[in-house]
Amino acid sequence: MVTDPAELARLAHEKEAENLEFRRFVKEHHAGPELLHVIGAEVEAAVDCTACAACCRHLRVEIGQDDLDRIAAFLKLRPAEVRRMYTEADPAGGPLLLAQPSGECVFLHQRVCLIYDVRPAACRHFPYLTPHENSLGARAESISRHAWFCPIVFNALEEFKRRAGFHPHSGR
Ligand code: SF4
Ligand code: SF4
């Protein structure tokens, strides 16, 4: 299992061509989402997200009204106040949680989510490898996009390749 951030980034970069080839393989062989869901659950159980928090440093989180309501109740604020203090508008969708100057989520403090128990649905579901609304299925392109920083995605993708019987000709 690869979890070191530098090694993850290096390997993901090294495997870019291989991952492209795997996208074609998935399409041609109609590799269904079920296998990925099984592998995703296995890898998620083996990785400690609380020791990582890379997604909180690298992704912007879109939130919905349910998220706002939960966070507001937790912080003892009104939803409109949470929206004003902790989010910014995104022309492409719903409001986004603010980022700190470092790029980290506004609620991340020393790798700890300050609102963990009420974190947005997008945070709870990332990296979308197990079955639920918006899960990735076998869309290898969506998966490999996050492999450079997420240990769950990288290791699940590698295991998915192995169990699907993929033998790369490139990207080594
Ligand atoms: S709300 Fe919490 S879990 Fe979600 S990105 Fe921010 S720090 Fe991470
Ligand atoms: S989902 Fe991935 S990037 Fe986010 S904390 Fe867990 S292992 Fe790290």
Side-chain angles (χ1 to χ4, degrees), residues 39-51:
I39 295 168
E42 290 173 4
V43 177
E44 278 191 18
V47 171
D48 179 9
C49 283
T50 60

Side-chain angles (χ1 to χ4, degrees), residues 47 49 52-55 126-127 149-152:
V47 171
C49 283
C52 172
C55 47
F126 187 82
F149 69 81
C150 177
I152 291 173

Side-chain angles (χ1 to χ4, degrees), residues 92-103:
L96 296 174
L97 288 183
L98 291 177
Q100 302 179 42
S102 60

Side-chain angles (χ1 to χ4, degrees), residues 30-102:
H30 306 291
E34 296 80 9
L35 177 58
L36 181 63
H37 292 161
V38 169
I39 295 168
E42 290 173 4
V43 177
E44 278 191 18
V47 171
D48 179 9
C49 283
T50 60
C52 172
C55 47
C56 309
R57 297 196 301 276
H58 296 297
L59 295 178
R60 299 298 304 278
V61 176
E62 182 179 331
I63 63 172
Q65 190 60 46
D66 287 354
D67 299 319
L68 272 175
D69 292 345
R70 273 200 323 278
I71 295 168
F74 182 75
L75 296 177
K76 299 188 179 7
L77 295 169
R78 287 193 294 273
E81 290 175 306
V82 172
R83 183 188 283 262
R84 178 171 52 77
M85 293 165 66
Y86 297 112
T87 74
E88 64 183 353
D90 175 15
L96 296 174
L97 288 183
L98 291 177
Q100 302 179 42
S102 60

Side-chain angles (χ1 to χ4, degrees), residues 4-22:
D4 176 70
E7 185 68 354
L8 265 187
R10 187 187 69 75
L11 285 172
H13 178 66
E14 193 178 288
K15 288 173 177 288
E16 276 175 8
E18 178 180 312
N19 289 342
L20 266 178
E21 194 183 330
F22 184 58

